[in-house]
């Protein structure tokens, strides 16, 4: 078994073209080229604009990642690429590039799940993931709680958002406040000058009701409540206290996320919580998770901020774990799946009918 595989990871599911090289659990290079600036004026990511930017950035990013890692492409043990979930046309650029490299170099190709990669990236910082671990995955497109028995083969969904993702809620509420896209980091910054107790917002699905799992989330009620409140203030000719709204909204989101994650650990008797995805970069989410895990005796693992948002290192990290565990490579028929579920950690080769000559 190769314990220290040299793996190139390619990420292109949204607006970041990420390419990175890892050896085992060591990150050798991590190149991220973002098309974020091109989306700001639209208030969200435009798939066609993102795909074109991936096309332009991909080859230079691969070149740079390999150069900065001090390795040659022919030395790679595997190439890993995000095969979903994500924007269909954006995913295709990364998968196309990965296939071209794999064919040319004769290197095994692993199509991996973006969500599981957000969890796996933590091995680069804190070593092997304890088994089992509960993962709270919070990004712009997803808010999920999962039980991870083995990050290469056994990840099961415990609950997820029924409507908006936590990052989406941050982004939409920031827009209501007149803050630019992406709103999460803007709210984080504005909240530093606000009072988190100045306003109270609904905590979606705080009490178990029928019709949803105990670990599901909902953020659309929060967004509507903020929209209504802001509109009423403006209609009455009053100022909107941006810092206070930011701080109290951030508190509400951090409260729901961390309380439900800690509850899942308690209920299932799991002593480890991993938090990943772009929203894991949020300062209040990090602080409250730390505080609540310490009280509950749970070991918390959160990667550094730069590894929480989308990057190639997370893809390479999951690829490296798959190689280390001897999992089968995907084949060149590998496709993309914009809504790949968290339980499908990597794309296993499909059995194909042989055609007799
Ligand atoms: O994981 P990610 O980079 O991309 C997706 O896979 O979606 O997450 C992006 C999301 C955006 O909604 C962004 O606003 C949010 O993560 N985000 C934050 C912070 N940094 C990024 N949300 C709150 N506070 C932050 N500091
Ligand atoms: Zn992501």
């Amino acid at each position: 078994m190769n314990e220290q595989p040299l793996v190139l990871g390619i990420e292109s599911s949204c607006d970041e073209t990420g390419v990175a090289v890892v050896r085992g659990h060591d990150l050798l290079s991590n190149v991220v080229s973002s098309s974020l600036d091109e989306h700001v004026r639209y208030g969200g990511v435009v798939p066609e604009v993102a795909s074109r930017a991936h096309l332009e950035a991909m080859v230079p990013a691969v070149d740079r990642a390999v150069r900065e890692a001090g390795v040659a492409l022919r030395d790679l043990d595997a190439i890993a690429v995000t095969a979903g979930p994500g924007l269909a046309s954006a995913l295709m650029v990364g998968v196309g590039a990965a296939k071209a490299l794999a064919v040319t170099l004769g290197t095994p190709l692993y199509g991996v799940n973006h969500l599981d990669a957000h969890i796996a990236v933590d091995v680069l910082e804190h070593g092997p993931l304890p088994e089992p671990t509960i993962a709270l995955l919070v990004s712009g497109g997803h808010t999920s709680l999962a039980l991870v028995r083995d990050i290469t083969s056994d990840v099961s969904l415990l609950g997820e958002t029924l409507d908006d993702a936590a990052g989406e809620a941050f982004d939409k509420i920031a827009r209501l406040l007149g803050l630019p896209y992406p709103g999460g980091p803007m709210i984080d910054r504005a909240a530093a000058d606000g009072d988190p107790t100045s306003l109270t917002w609904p905590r979606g699905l705080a009490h178990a009701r029928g019709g949803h799992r105990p670990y599901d989330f909902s953020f659309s009620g929060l967004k509507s409540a903020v929209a209504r409140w802001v509109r009423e203030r403006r209609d009455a000719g009053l100022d909107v206290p941006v810092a206070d709204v930011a701080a109290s909204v951030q508190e509400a989101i951090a409260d729901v996320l961390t309380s439900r994650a800690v509850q899942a650990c308690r209920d299932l008797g799991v002593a480890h919580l991993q938090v990943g995805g772009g929203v894991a970069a949020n300062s209040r989410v990090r602080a409250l998770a730390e505080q609540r895990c310490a009280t509950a005796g749970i070991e918390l693992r959160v990667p550094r901020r730069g590894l929480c948002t989308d990057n190639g290192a997370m893809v390479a990290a999951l690829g490296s774990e798959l190689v280390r565990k001897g999992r089968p490579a995907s084949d060149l028929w590998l496709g993309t799946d914009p809504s790949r579920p968290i339980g499908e950690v990597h794309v296993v080769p499909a059995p194909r009918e042989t055609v007799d000559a």
Side-chain angles (χ1 to χ4, degrees):
M1 202 76 63
N2 187 349
E3 285 292 325
Q4 296 286 316
L6 187 67
V7 181
L8 179 91
I10 298 180
E11 155 62 30
S12 73
S13 67
C14 194
D15 57 340
E16 261 97 27
T17 314
V19 184
V21 178
V22 305
R23 190 187 299 279
H25 289 161
D26 292 333
L27 181 58
L28 305 185
S29 66
N30 188 21
V31 176
V32 181
S33 164
S34 176
S35 58
L36 181 65
D37 292 348
E38 296 175 52
H39 305 286
V40 171
R41 66 192 161 118
Y42 302 106
V45 175
V46 181
E48 291 76 11
V49 174
S51 314
R52 170 167 281 275
H54 287 309
L55 274 174
E56 286 166 3
M58 190 58 72
V59 172
V62 170
D63 280 346
R64 209 175 121 200
V66 169
R67 196 174 59 245
E68 288 182 3
V71 300
L73 281 172
R74 64 178 176 281
D75 298 334
L76 295 172
D77 294 306
I79 293 164
V81 62
T82 299
L87 304 171
S89 56
L91 288 167
M92 274 186 244
V93 179
V95 167
K99 283 184 183 176
L101 283 169
V103 171
T104 315
L105 301 164
T107 307
L109 174 67
Y110 287 80
V112 308
N113 187 308
H114 180 83
L115 307 177
D116 298 299
H118 267 304
I119 303 170
V121 72
D122 198 54
V123 303
L124 300 178
E125 203 147 81
H126 301 114
L129 210 60
E131 293 168 355
T133 287
I134 290 207
L136 170 65
L137 190 269
V138 269
S139 69
H142 294 84
T143 299
S144 313
L145 262 177
L147 176 63
V148 184
R149 292 200 185 86
D150 179 335
I151 188 56
T152 65
S153 64
D154 190 350
V155 180
S156 48
L157 186 68
L158 298 172
E160 63 190 336
T161 184
L162 302 179
D163 38 62
D164 291 345
E168 206 176 346
F170 272 117
D171 295 341
K172 287 178 175 171
I173 290 169
R175 200 172 181 173
L176 290 170
L177 297 175
L179 300 171
Y181 178 85
M186 296 297 156
I187 291 205
D188 202 345
R189 216 168 298 156
D193 301 321
D195 175 2
T197 62
S198 56
L199 296 156
T200 318
W201 303 109
R203 265 61 170 166
L205 307 183
H207 306 289
R209 274 187 274 123
H212 63 80
R213 290 165 292 196
Y215 310 116
D216 281 340
F217 301 89
S218 166
F219 295 103
S220 67
L222 166 67
K223 179 197 63 192
S224 308
V226 177
R228 203 163 41 241
W229 190 85
V230 167
R231 196 175 49 242
E232 282 168 11
R233 291 278 300 188
R234 288 192 178 133
D235 287 351
L238 299 167
D239 282 345
V240 174
V242 172
D244 285 345
V245 177
S248 53
V249 161
Q250 180 172 274
E251 188 64 28
I253 294 177
D255 178 26
V256 170
L257 292 175
T258 56
S259 63
R260 208 142 303 161
V262 167
Q263 192 59 47
C265 290
R266 281 206 175 110
D267 293 348
L268 301 177
V270 174
H272 309 277
L273 174 67
Q274 198 269 337
V275 187
V279 178
N282 182 268
S283 54
R284 187 57 186 152
V285 170
R286 297 172 84 93
L288 205 51
E290 212 163 283
Q291 193 182 315
R292 288 184 169 165
C293 283
T295 307
I298 295 164
E299 185 225 10
L300 174 69
R301 294 165 57 120
V302 195
R304 63 176 180 269
R305 282 184 169 78
L307 294 181
C308 290
T309 45
D310 290 351
N311 59 73
M314 60 195 243
V315 179
L318 181 49
S320 170
E321 292 303 276
L322 289 162
V323 175
R324 281 160 50 91
K325 286 265 175 102
R327 303 291 176 210
S330 314
D331 59 27
L332 289 172
W333 298 98
L334 165 69
T336 59
D337 180 353
S339 48
R340 191 176 296 287
I342 199 166
E344 281 177 16
V345 175
H346 93 289
V347 184
V348 288
R352 282 199 312 283
E353 287 175 20
T354 49
V355 180
D356 292 332

